[in-house]
Amino acid sequence: MAGTLYIVPTPIGNLGDISPRAVEILRSVGIIACEDTRHTQRLLNHFAIKAELISYHEHNEQQRSAELISKLVSGISVALVSDAGTPAISDPGVPLVRAAHEAGIQVISVPGPSALAAAVAASGLGTDAIFFGGFLPSRPGQRRKRLRECAEIPATLVFYESPHRIAASLADCLAVLGDRQTAISRELSKLHEETLTGKISELIKKFDAKAKGEFVLVIDRVSSAAENAETDAPDLKERVKALEAEGLSPREALKKAAKEAGINRSEAYRLLHIDGD
Ligand code: SAM
């Protein structure tokens, strides 16, 4: 009988966050595939777990996936871990999980620590629709392009960020997405954990190129401006009428009124339409 592939989250800062089930699985499997064997060995030592470790990282995951699948097919169960958090979430793992599905191997995902879920929950921003963008590109041009692609997504936007890029990324977020409500979670589950909230223009003042820690950016969705403005739809209608009376074409009036309200033209059009016009 084939083995099982377990995806096992590990703590993102606080050892107490590993679940008893995760420990039990790490104890029971034949092989633990991990990013950095020395790092994972320290975790295993803490829980007195003895297991064979095989390195599985971004530079060898294709080749190692094939090897691990043969082990699984031969009946050995494998636990996949990363250095911290949930494997395959901005971490190695996707090729192995995909190969396991293709080979008919049972894949069991153990719920547990992830900076993504922890930061979203702490943000106070809408959670009905979330877009996770992983890491933004490091090159400014590509980063702004990616942000432009994300700008109209009607969901709370989430990005992982490293300390040396947080200031530059926030500046690009402000330039491309506008001054949205944002939460920045830093050092989740660690001693200096904090979640700062505010407009990007306020938060940007708190981080410079020497910022320290690990960060998650959680940024409000584009439509919130329109949602906030919804109560102001009659005002918007009045303003469009007034601008038309001043001689602007309906199209120009809508564009100008939208700009004044801090929303784009299609949102303004939608608001006026919802309002029965
Ligand atoms: N797979 C991991 C997970 O589930 O959270 C994420 C791995 S990714 C390589 C590492 C990034 O996750 C960091 O650069 C940071 O953006 C975020 N991160 C990880 N631990 C964090 C923490 N304790 N506090 C805030 N962000 C964290």
Side-chain angles (χ1 to χ4, degrees):
M1 194 184 149
T4 298
L5 174 63
Y6 295 96
I7 302 165
V8 181
T10 55
I12 58 170
N14 187 325
L15 269 183
D17 290 338
I18 196 162
S19 72
R21 182 172 171 230
V23 172
E24 189 187 311
I25 289 168
L26 292 177
R27 227 185 269 293
S28 72
V29 292
I31 292 172
I32 298 175
C34 59
E35 270 189 282
D36 177 340
T37 51
R38 276 178 304 179
H39 181 93
T40 298
Q41 189 60 59
R42 283 197 289 275
L43 180 78
L44 298 186
N45 290 346
H46 183 84
F47 292 99
I49 297 170
K50 292 202 184 340
E52 182 187 345
L53 294 181
I54 290 188
S55 80
Y56 178 92
H57 49 70
E58 58 177 331
H59 303 298
N60 72 3
E61 52 184 341
Q62 296 295 348
Q63 174 214 331
R64 277 284 197 270
S65 292
E67 293 167 20
L68 289 165
I69 292 298
S70 355
K71 301 274 188 193
L72 284 155
V73 168
S74 77
I76 299 172
S77 287
V78 173
L80 172 67
V81 303
S82 60
D83 283 350
T86 301
I89 306 291
S90 289
D91 261 343
V94 172
L96 177 59
V97 173
R98 187 176 298 150
H101 286 303
E102 282 165 7
I105 302 288
Q106 187 182 25
V107 175
I108 290 189
S109 186
V110 181
S114 175
L116 168 61
V120 167
S123 71
L125 296 171
T127 55
D128 54 318
I130 298 161
F131 172 81
F132 175 54
F135 286 97
L136 285 165
S138 55
R139 293 170 62 184
Q142 288 178 1
R143 185 164 59 227
R144 286 195 285 267
K145 179 170 178 282
R146 177 73 52 79
L147 285 168
R148 278 196 294 277
E149 290 163 1
C150 297
E152 297 293 324
I153 298 173
T156 296
L157 307 177
V158 188
F159 300 104
Y160 283 162
E161 199 44 276
S162 63
H164 56 281
R165 276 204 293 270
I166 184 85
S169 287
L170 281 173
D172 283 342
C173 287
L174 180 60
V176 177
L177 304 175
D179 203 6
R180 299 191 191 181
Q181 183 68 19
T182 290
I184 302 180
S185 282
R186 169 172 36 192
E187 299 287 84
L188 287 158
S189 78
K190 300 185 190 176
L191 188 61
H192 298 294
E193 165 166 2
E194 61 180 351
T195 294
L196 305 175
T197 62
K199 295 281 182 191
I200 301 178
S201 59
E202 296 157 9
L203 295 173
I204 212 166
K205 296 177 196 146
K206 304 190 177 172
F207 300 101
D208 58 19
K210 294 188 202 123
K212 288 197 169 56
E214 297 193 276
F215 297 88
V216 185
L217 297 181
V218 187
I219 304 173
D220 204 0
R221 72 193 66 198
V222 63
S223 61
S224 283
E227 278 162 18
N228 293 340
E230 249 165 57
T231 49
D232 297 327
D235 291 348
L236 189 70
K237 192 157 78 176
E238 286 310 310
R239 185 67 188 132
V240 170
K241 272 188 193 156
L243 288 167
E244 284 175 4
E246 286 171 20
L248 265 63
S249 71
R251 188 184 157 84
E252 287 166 341
L254 182 70
K255 190 174 167 190
K256 185 155 192 227
K259 195 170 174 200
E260 287 172 1
I263 57 179
N264 66 33
R265 206 173 46 192
S266 53
E267 284 165 348
Y269 181 82
R270 187 174 68 82
L271 283 176
L272 293 178
H273 189 68
I274 286 168
D275 197 44
D277 235 10

Coordinates of all heavy atoms in Angstrom, one line a residue, residues 29-120:
V29 N 6.1 9.4 10.5 CA 6.4 9.2 9.1 C 7.9 8.6 8.9 O 8.7 8.7 9.8 CB 6.3 10.5 8.2 CG1 4.9 10.9 8.1 CG2 7.2 11.6 8.8
G30 N 8.1 8.0 7.7 CA 9.4 7.4 7.4 C 10.4 8.5 7.0 O 11.6 8.4 7.3
I31 N 9.9 9.5 6.3 CA 10.8 10.6 5.8 C 10.2 11.9 6.0 O 9.0 12.1 5.9 CB 11.0 10.4 4.3 CG1 11.8 9.1 4.0 CG2 11.7 11.6 3.6 CD1 11.9 8.8 2.5
I32 N 11.1 12.9 6.4 CA 10.6 14.3 6.5 C 11.4 15.1 5.4 O 12.6 15.1 5.4 CB 10.9 14.9 7.9 CG1 10.0 14.2 8.9 CG2 10.5 16.4 7.9 CD1 10.3 14.6 10.4
A33 N 10.6 15.6 4.4 CA 11.3 16.4 3.4 C 11.2 17.9 3.9 O 10.2 18.4 4.2 CB 10.5 16.3 2.1
C34 N 12.4 18.5 3.9 CA 12.4 19.9 4.5 C 13.4 20.8 3.7 O 14.2 20.3 3.0 CB 12.9 19.8 6.0 SG 14.5 19.1 6.2
E35 N 13.2 22.1 3.9 CA 14.0 23.1 3.2 C 15.5 23.0 3.6 O 16.4 23.0 2.8 CB 13.5 24.5 3.5 CG 12.4 25.0 2.5 CD 12.1 26.4 2.8 OE1 11.4 26.8 3.8 OE2 12.6 27.3 2.0
D36 N 15.7 23.1 4.9 CA 17.0 23.2 5.5 C 17.1 22.2 6.6 O 16.4 22.3 7.6 CB 17.2 24.6 6.0 CG 18.6 24.8 6.7 OD1 19.2 23.8 7.0 OD2 19.0 26.0 6.8
T37 N 17.9 21.1 6.3 CA 17.9 20.0 7.3 C 18.4 20.4 8.7 O 17.9 20.0 9.7 CB 18.8 18.9 6.7 OG1 20.1 19.4 6.4 CG2 18.2 18.2 5.6
R38 N 19.4 21.4 8.7 CA 19.9 21.8 10.0 C 18.8 22.5 10.8 O 18.6 22.3 12.0 CB 21.1 22.7 9.9 CG 22.4 21.9 9.8 CD 23.6 22.7 9.6 NE 23.4 23.6 8.4 CZ 24.3 24.5 8.0 NH1 25.4 24.7 8.7 NH2 24.0 25.3 7.0
H39 N 18.0 23.4 10.1 CA 16.9 24.1 10.7 C 15.9 23.2 11.3 O 15.4 23.3 12.4 CB 16.4 25.1 9.7 CG 15.2 25.9 10.2 ND1 15.5 27.2 10.7 CD2 13.9 25.7 10.3 CE1 14.3 27.7 11.1 NE2 13.3 26.8 10.8
T40 N 15.5 22.2 10.4 CA 14.4 21.3 10.8 C 14.9 20.4 11.9 O 14.1 20.0 12.8 CB 13.8 20.5 9.6 OG1 13.3 21.5 8.7 CG2 12.8 19.5 10.0
Q41 N 16.2 20.0 11.9 CA 16.7 19.1 12.9 C 16.6 19.8 14.3 O 16.3 19.1 15.3 CB 18.2 18.8 12.6 CG 18.8 17.7 13.5 CD 18.1 16.4 13.4 OE1 18.0 15.8 12.3 NE2 17.5 15.9 14.5
R42 N 16.8 21.1 14.4 CA 16.6 21.8 15.7 C 15.2 21.6 16.2 O 15.0 21.4 17.4 CB 17.0 23.2 15.6 CG 18.5 23.5 15.5 CD 18.9 24.9 15.8 NE 18.5 25.8 14.7 CZ 19.2 26.0 13.7 NH1 20.4 25.5 13.5 NH2 18.8 26.9 12.7
L43 N 14.2 21.8 15.3 CA 12.8 21.6 15.7 C 12.6 20.2 16.2 O 11.9 19.9 17.2 CB 11.9 21.9 14.5 CG 10.4 21.8 14.7 CD1 9.9 23.0 15.5 CD2 9.6 21.6 13.4
L44 N 13.1 19.2 15.4 CA 12.9 17.8 15.8 C 13.6 17.5 17.1 O 13.0 16.8 17.9 CB 13.4 16.9 14.7 CG 12.8 17.0 13.3 CD1 13.3 15.9 12.4 CD2 11.3 16.9 13.4
N45 N 14.7 18.0 17.3 CA 15.4 17.8 18.6 C 14.6 18.3 19.8 O 14.5 17.7 20.8 CB 16.8 18.6 18.7 CG 17.8 17.9 17.7 OD1 17.6 16.8 17.2 ND2 18.9 18.6 17.4
H46 N 13.9 19.5 19.6 CA 13.1 20.0 20.6 C 12.0 19.1 21.0 O 11.6 19.0 22.2 CB 12.5 21.4 20.1 CG 11.7 22.1 21.2 ND1 12.2 22.9 22.1 CD2 10.4 22.0 21.4 CE1 11.3 23.3 22.9 NE2 10.1 22.8 22.5
F47 N 11.5 18.3 20.1 CA 10.4 17.4 20.4 C 10.8 15.9 20.5 O 10.0 15.0 20.4 CB 9.3 17.5 19.3 CG 8.6 18.9 19.4 CD1 8.9 19.9 18.5 CD2 7.6 19.1 20.4 CE1 8.3 21.1 18.6 CE2 7.0 20.4 20.4 CZ 7.3 21.4 19.6
A48 N 12.2 15.8 20.5 CA 12.8 14.4 20.6 C 12.2 13.5 19.5 O 11.9 12.4 19.7 CB 12.5 13.8 22.0
I49 N 12.2 14.1 18.3 CA 11.7 13.3 17.1 C 12.9 12.8 16.3 O 13.8 13.6 16.0 CB 10.8 14.1 16.2 CG1 9.5 14.5 17.0 CG2 10.4 13.3 14.9 CD1 8.6 15.5 16.2
K50 N 12.9 11.5 16.0 CA 14.0 11.0 15.2 C 13.4 10.6 13.9 O 12.4 9.8 13.8 CB 14.6 9.7 15.9 CG 15.4 10.0 17.1 CD 16.4 8.9 17.5 CE 17.1 9.1 18.8 NZ 17.1 10.4 19.4
A51 N 14.0 11.1 12.8 CA 13.4 10.8 11.5 C 14.5 11.0 10.4 O 15.5 11.8 10.6 CB 12.2 11.6 11.2
E52 N 14.3 10.4 9.3 CA 15.2 10.6 8.2 C 14.8 11.9 7.5 O 13.7 12.1 7.1 CB 15.2 9.5 7.2 CG 16.1 9.7 6.0 CD 16.0 8.6 4.9 OE1 15.3 7.6 5.1 OE2 16.5 8.9 3.8
L53 N 15.8 12.8 7.3 CA 15.5 14.1 6.7 C 16.0 14.1 5.3 O 17.2 13.7 5.0 CB 16.2 15.3 7.5 CG 15.7 15.6 8.9 CD1 16.4 16.7 9.5 CD2 14.2 15.9 8.9
I54 N 15.3 14.6 4.4 CA 15.7 14.8 3.0 C 15.5 16.2 2.6 O 14.4 16.8 2.8 CB 14.9 13.8 2.0 CG1 15.3 12.4 2.3 CG2 15.1 14.2 0.6 CD1 14.7 11.4 1.3
S55 N 16.6 16.9 2.0 CA 16.4 18.3 1.7 C 15.5 18.4 0.4 O 15.6 17.7 -0.5 CB 17.8 18.9 1.5 OG 18.3 18.6 0.2
Y56 N 14.6 19.4 0.6 CA 13.7 19.7 -0.5 C 13.5 21.2 -0.6 O 12.9 21.8 0.3 CB 12.3 19.0 -0.2 CG 11.3 19.2 -1.2 CD1 11.1 18.4 -2.3 CD2 10.4 20.4 -1.2 CE1 10.1 18.6 -3.3 CE2 9.5 20.6 -2.1 CZ 9.3 19.7 -3.2 OH 8.3 20.0 -4.1
H57 N 14.2 21.8 -1.5 CA 14.1 23.3 -1.5 C 13.9 23.8 -3.0 O 13.9 23.0 -3.9 CB 15.4 23.9 -0.9 CG 16.7 23.3 -1.4 ND1 17.1 23.5 -2.7 CD2 17.6 22.4 -0.8 CE1 18.3 22.9 -2.8 NE2 18.5 22.2 -1.7
E58 N 13.9 25.1 -3.1 CA 13.5 25.7 -4.4 C 14.4 25.3 -5.5 O 14.0 25.3 -6.7 CB 13.3 27.2 -4.3 CG 14.6 27.9 -3.9 CD 14.4 29.4 -3.9 OE1 13.6 29.9 -4.7 OE2 15.1 30.1 -3.1
H59 N 15.7 24.9 -5.2 CA 16.6 24.5 -6.3 C 16.6 23.1 -6.7 O 17.2 22.7 -7.7 CB 18.0 25.0 -5.9 CG 18.1 26.4 -5.6 ND1 17.8 27.4 -6.5 CD2 18.3 27.1 -4.4 CE1 17.9 28.6 -5.9 NE2 18.2 28.4 -4.7
N60 N 16.0 22.2 -5.9 CA 16.0 20.8 -6.2 C 14.6 20.2 -6.2 O 14.5 18.9 -6.2 CB 17.0 20.0 -5.3 CG 16.4 19.9 -3.9 OD1 15.3 20.3 -3.6 ND2 17.2 19.3 -3.0
E61 N 13.6 21.0 -6.1 CA 12.2 20.4 -5.9 C 11.7 19.5 -7.0 O 11.0 18.5 -6.7 CB 11.2 21.4 -5.4 CG 11.0 22.6 -6.2 CD 10.0 23.6 -5.5 OE1 9.2 23.2 -4.6 OE2 10.0 24.8 -5.9
Q62 N 12.1 19.8 -8.3 CA 11.6 18.9 -9.4 C 12.2 17.5 -9.2 O 11.5 16.5 -9.2 CB 12.0 19.5 -10.7 CG 11.4 20.9 -11.0 CD 9.8 20.8 -11.2 OE1 9.2 19.8 -11.3 NE2 9.2 22.0 -11.2
Q63 N 13.5 17.5 -9.1 CA 14.2 16.2 -9.0 C 13.8 15.5 -7.8 O 13.5 14.3 -7.8 CB 15.7 16.5 -9.1 CG 16.6 15.3 -8.9 CD 17.9 15.7 -8.1 OE1 18.3 16.9 -8.2 NE2 18.4 14.8 -7.3
R64 N 13.8 16.2 -6.6 CA 13.5 15.5 -5.4 C 12.0 15.0 -5.4 O 11.7 14.0 -4.7 CB 13.6 16.5 -4.2 CG 15.0 16.6 -3.7 CD 15.4 15.4 -2.9 NE 16.6 15.6 -2.0 CZ 17.8 15.4 -2.4 NH1 18.1 14.9 -3.6 NH2 18.8 15.7 -1.6
S65 N 11.2 15.7 -6.1 CA 9.8 15.3 -6.1 C 9.7 13.9 -6.7 O 9.0 13.0 -6.1 CB 8.9 16.2 -6.9 OG 8.8 17.5 -6.3
A66 N 10.4 13.6 -7.8 CA 10.4 12.3 -8.4 C 10.9 11.3 -7.4 O 10.3 10.2 -7.2 CB 11.2 12.3 -9.7
E67 N 12.0 11.6 -6.7 CA 12.5 10.6 -5.7 C 11.5 10.3 -4.6 O 11.3 9.2 -4.2 CB 13.8 11.1 -5.1 CG 15.0 11.3 -6.1 CD 16.1 12.1 -5.6 OE1 16.2 12.3 -4.3 OE2 16.9 12.6 -6.4
L68 N 10.9 11.4 -4.1 CA 10.0 11.2 -3.0 C 8.7 10.5 -3.4 O 8.2 9.7 -2.7 CB 9.6 12.6 -2.4 CG 10.8 13.3 -1.6 CD1 10.5 14.7 -1.4 CD2 11.0 12.5 -0.3
I69 N 8.3 10.7 -4.7 CA 7.1 9.9 -5.1 C 7.4 8.4 -5.2 O 6.6 7.6 -4.8 CB 6.7 10.4 -6.5 CG1 6.1 11.9 -6.4 CG2 5.6 9.5 -7.2 CD1 4.9 12.1 -5.6
S70 N 8.7 8.0 -5.6 CA 9.0 6.6 -5.6 C 9.0 6.0 -4.2 O 8.5 4.9 -4.0 CB 10.3 6.2 -6.2 OG 11.0 7.3 -6.8
K71 N 9.4 6.8 -3.2 CA 9.4 6.4 -1.8 C 7.9 6.2 -1.4 O 7.6 5.2 -0.8 CB 10.0 7.4 -0.9 CG 11.5 7.7 -1.2 CD 12.4 6.7 -0.5 CE 13.8 7.1 -0.7 NZ 14.8 6.0 -0.4
L72 N 7.1 7.2 -1.8 CA 5.7 7.1 -1.4 C 5.0 5.9 -2.0 O 4.3 5.1 -1.4 CB 4.9 8.4 -1.8 CG 5.2 9.6 -0.9 CD1 5.0 10.9 -1.6 CD2 4.3 9.6 0.3
V73 N 5.3 5.7 -3.3 CA 4.7 4.5 -4.0 C 5.2 3.2 -3.4 O 4.4 2.3 -3.3 CB 5.1 4.6 -5.5 CG1 4.8 3.3 -6.2 CG2 4.4 5.7 -6.2
S74 N 6.4 3.2 -2.8 CA 6.9 2.0 -2.2 C 6.3 1.7 -0.8 O 6.6 0.8 -0.2 CB 8.4 2.0 -2.1 OG 8.8 2.9 -1.0
G75 N 5.5 2.7 -0.3 CA 4.8 2.5 0.9 C 5.3 3.4 2.1 O 4.8 3.2 3.2
I76 N 6.3 4.2 1.8 CA 6.8 5.1 2.9 C 6.0 6.4 3.0 O 5.8 7.0 1.9 CB 8.3 5.4 2.7 CG1 9.1 4.1 2.7 CG2 8.8 6.3 3.7 CD1 10.5 4.2 2.3
S77 N 5.5 6.8 4.1 CA 4.8 8.0 4.3 C 5.9 9.2 4.4 O 6.9 9.0 5.0 CB 3.9 8.0 5.4 OG 2.8 7.3 5.1
V78 N 5.5 10.3 3.8 CA 6.5 11.5 3.8 C 5.7 12.7 4.4 O 4.6 13.0 4.1 CB 6.9 11.8 2.4 CG1 7.7 13.1 2.3 CG2 7.7 10.6 1.8
A79 N 6.4 13.4 5.3 CA 5.9 14.7 5.8 C 6.7 15.8 5.1 O 8.0 15.7 5.1 CB 6.1 14.8 7.3
L80 N 6.0 16.8 4.5 CA 6.7 17.9 3.9 C 6.6 19.1 4.9 O 5.5 19.5 5.3 CB 6.0 18.2 2.6 CG 6.4 19.5 1.9 CD1 7.9 19.4 1.4 CD2 5.5 19.9 0.8
V81 N 7.7 19.6 5.2 CA 7.8 20.9 6.1 C 8.6 21.9 5.4 O 9.4 21.6 4.5 CB 8.3 20.6 7.5 CG1 7.6 19.6 8.2 CG2 9.8 20.3 7.4
S82 N 8.4 23.2 5.7 CA 9.3 24.2 5.3 C 10.0 24.8 6.5 O 9.8 24.4 7.6 CB 8.5 25.3 4.5 OG 7.5 25.9 5.3
D83 N 10.8 25.9 6.3 CA 11.5 26.4 7.5 C 10.5 27.0 8.5 O 10.7 27.0 9.7 CB 12.5 27.6 7.0 CG 13.7 27.0 6.4 OD1 13.9 25.7 6.5 OD2 14.5 27.7 5.8
A84 N 9.4 27.6 8.0 CA 8.4 28.2 8.9 C 7.1 28.3 8.2 O 7.1 28.7 7.0 CB 8.9 29.5 9.4
G85 N 6.0 28.0 8.9 CA 4.7 28.2 8.3 C 4.3 27.0 7.5 O 4.7 25.9 7.7
T86 N 3.3 27.3 6.6 CA 2.7 26.2 5.8 C 3.5 26.0 4.5 O 3.6 26.9 3.7 CB 1.2 26.5 5.5 OG1 0.6 26.7 6.8 CG2 0.6 25.4 4.7
P87 N 4.0 24.7 4.3 CA 4.7 24.5 3.0 C 3.8 24.8 1.8 O 2.5 24.7 1.9 CB 4.9 23.0 3.1 CG 4.9 22.6 4.5 CD 3.9 23.6 5.2
A88 N 4.4 25.1 0.7 CA 3.7 25.4 -0.6 C 3.0 26.7 -0.6 O 2.5 27.1 -1.6 CB 2.7 24.3 -0.9
I89 N 3.0 27.5 0.5 CA 2.5 28.8 0.5 C 3.7 29.8 0.5 O 4.4 30.0 1.5 CB 1.6 29.2 1.8 CG1 0.5 28.1 2.0 CG2 1.1 30.6 1.7 CD1 -0.6 28.2 1.0
S90 N 4.1 30.3 -0.7 CA 5.3 31.0 -0.9 C 6.5 30.2 -0.4 O 7.4 30.8 0.2 CB 5.2 32.4 -0.3 OG 4.4 33.2 -1.0
D91 N 6.4 29.0 -0.4 CA 7.5 28.1 0.0 C 7.5 26.9 -0.9 O 6.5 26.6 -1.6 CB 7.1 27.6 1.5 CG 7.9 28.3 2.5 OD1 8.9 29.0 2.2 OD2 7.5 28.3 3.7
P92 N 8.6 26.1 -0.9 CA 8.7 24.9 -1.7 C 7.5 23.9 -1.4 O 7.1 23.9 -0.3 CB 10.0 24.2 -1.4 CG 10.8 25.4 -0.8 CD 9.9 26.3 -0.1
G93 N 7.1 23.2 -2.4 CA 6.1 22.1 -2.1 C 5.2 21.8 -3.3 O 4.7 20.7 -3.4
V94 N 4.9 22.9 -4.1 CA 3.9 22.7 -5.1 C 4.2 21.5 -6.1 O 3.3 20.6 -6.3 CB 3.6 24.0 -5.9 CG1 2.7 23.8 -7.1 CG2 3.1 25.1 -5.0
P95 N 5.4 21.4 -6.6 CA 5.7 20.2 -7.5 C 5.5 18.9 -6.9 O 4.9 18.0 -7.5 CB 7.2 20.4 -7.9 CG 7.5 21.8 -7.7 CD 6.6 22.3 -6.5
L96 N 5.8 18.8 -5.6 CA 5.7 17.5 -4.9 C 4.2 17.2 -4.7 O 3.7 16.0 -5.0 CB 6.4 17.5 -3.5 CG 6.2 16.2 -2.7 CD1 6.7 15.0 -3.4 CD2 6.9 16.4 -1.3
V97 N 3.4 18.2 -4.3 CA 2.0 17.9 -4.1 C 1.3 17.6 -5.4 O 0.5 16.6 -5.4 CB 1.3 19.2 -3.4 CG1 -0.2 19.0 -3.3 CG2 2.0 19.4 -2.0
R98 N 1.7 18.3 -6.4 CA 1.1 18.0 -7.7 C 1.4 16.6 -8.2 O 0.6 15.8 -8.6 CB 1.6 19.0 -8.8 CG 0.9 19.0 -10.1 CD 1.3 20.0 -11.0 NE 1.0 21.4 -10.5 CZ 1.7 22.5 -10.8 NH1 2.8 22.4 -11.5 NH2 1.3 23.6 -10.3
A99 N 2.7 16.2 -8.1 CA 3.1 14.9 -8.5 C 2.4 13.8 -7.7 O 2.1 12.8 -8.2 CB 4.7 14.8 -8.3
A100 N 2.2 14.1 -6.4 CA 1.5 13.1 -5.6 C 0.1 12.9 -6.1 O -0.4 11.7 -6.2 CB 1.5 13.6 -4.1
H101 N -0.6 14.0 -6.4 CA -2.0 13.8 -6.9 C -1.9 13.0 -8.2 O -2.7 12.1 -8.4 CB -2.6 15.2 -7.2 CG -3.0 15.9 -5.9 ND1 -3.9 15.4 -5.0 CD2 -2.7 17.2 -5.5 CE1 -4.0 16.3 -4.0 NE2 -3.3 17.3 -4.3
E102 N -0.9 13.3 -9.1 CA -0.9 12.6 -10.4 C -0.6 11.1 -10.2 O -1.0 10.3 -11.0 CB 0.2 13.3 -11.2 CG -0.3 14.6 -11.9 CD 0.8 15.4 -12.4 OE1 2.0 15.0 -12.5 OE2 0.5 16.6 -12.8
A103 N 0.2 10.8 -9.1 CA 0.5 9.4 -8.9 C -0.5 8.7 -8.1 O -0.4 7.5 -7.7 CB 1.9 9.3 -8.2
G104 N -1.6 9.4 -7.7 CA -2.7 8.7 -6.9 C -2.3 8.6 -5.5 O -2.9 7.7 -4.8
I105 N -1.4 9.3 -5.0 CA -0.9 9.3 -3.6 C -1.9 10.1 -2.8 O -2.2 11.3 -3.2 CB 0.5 9.9 -3.4 CG1 1.5 9.1 -4.3 CG2 0.9 9.9 -1.9 CD1 1.8 7.7 -3.8
Q106 N -2.3 9.6 -1.6 CA -3.2 10.5 -0.7 C -2.4 11.7 -0.2 O -1.2 11.5 0.3 CB -3.7 9.6 0.4 CG -4.7 10.4 1.2 CD -5.3 9.6 2.4 OE1 -4.6 8.7 2.9 NE2 -6.4 9.9 2.9
V107 N -3.0 12.9 -0.3 CA -2.3 14.1 0.2 C -3.2 14.6 1.4 O -4.4 14.8 1.3 CB -2.3 15.2 -0.9 CG1 -1.7 16.5 -0.3 CG2 -1.4 14.7 -2.0
I108 N -2.5 14.7 2.6 CA -3.2 15.2 3.8 C -2.6 16.5 4.2 O -1.4 16.6 4.5 CB -3.2 14.2 4.9 CG1 -4.1 13.0 4.4 CG2 -3.7 14.8 6.2 CD1 -4.5 12.0 5.5
S109 N -3.4 17.6 4.2 CA -2.9 18.9 4.6 C -3.3 19.1 6.0 O -4.5 19.2 6.4 CB -3.5 19.9 3.7 OG -3.0 21.2 3.9
V110 N -2.3 19.3 6.9 CA -2.5 19.5 8.3 C -2.7 21.0 8.6 O -1.7 21.8 8.3 CB -1.4 18.9 9.2 CG1 -1.6 19.1 10.6 CG2 -1.1 17.5 8.8
P111 N -3.8 21.5 9.1 CA -3.9 22.9 9.3 C -2.9 23.4 10.4 O -2.7 22.7 11.3 CB -5.4 23.1 9.8 CG -6.1 21.8 9.4 CD -5.0 20.8 9.4
G112 N -2.5 24.6 10.2 CA -1.5 25.1 11.2 C -1.0 26.5 10.9 O -1.6 27.2 10.1
P113 N 0.1 26.9 11.5 CA 0.6 28.3 11.4 C 0.9 28.7 9.9 O 1.4 27.9 9.1 CB 1.9 28.3 12.1 CG 1.9 27.1 13.0 CD 1.0 26.1 12.4
S114 N 0.4 29.9 9.6 CA 0.7 30.5 8.4 C 0.6 32.0 8.6 O -0.4 32.5 9.1 CB -0.2 30.1 7.2 OG 0.1 30.9 6.1
A115 N 1.6 32.8 8.1 CA 1.6 34.2 8.3 C 0.4 34.8 7.5 O -0.1 35.8 7.9 CB 2.9 34.8 7.8
L116 N 0.1 34.2 6.4 CA -1.1 34.7 5.6 C -2.4 34.8 6.5 O -3.0 35.8 6.6 CB -1.3 33.8 4.4 CG -2.5 33.9 3.6 CD1 -2.6 35.3 3.0 CD2 -2.6 32.8 2.5
A117 N -2.8 33.7 7.0 CA -4.0 33.6 7.8 C -3.9 34.5 9.0 O -4.9 35.3 9.4 CB -4.4 32.2 8.2
A118 N -2.8 34.5 9.7 CA -2.6 35.2 11.0 C -2.7 36.7 10.7 O -3.4 37.5 11.4 CB -1.3 34.9 11.6
A119 N -2.1 37.2 9.6 CA -2.1 38.6 9.3 C -3.5 39.1 8.8 O -4.0 40.2 9.2 CB -1.1 38.9 8.2
V120 N -4.1 38.3 8.0 CA -5.5 38.7 7.5 C -6.4 38.8 8.7 O -7.2 39.7 8.8 CB -6.0 37.6 6.4 CG1 -7.4 37.9 6.1 CG2 -5.2 37.8 5.2

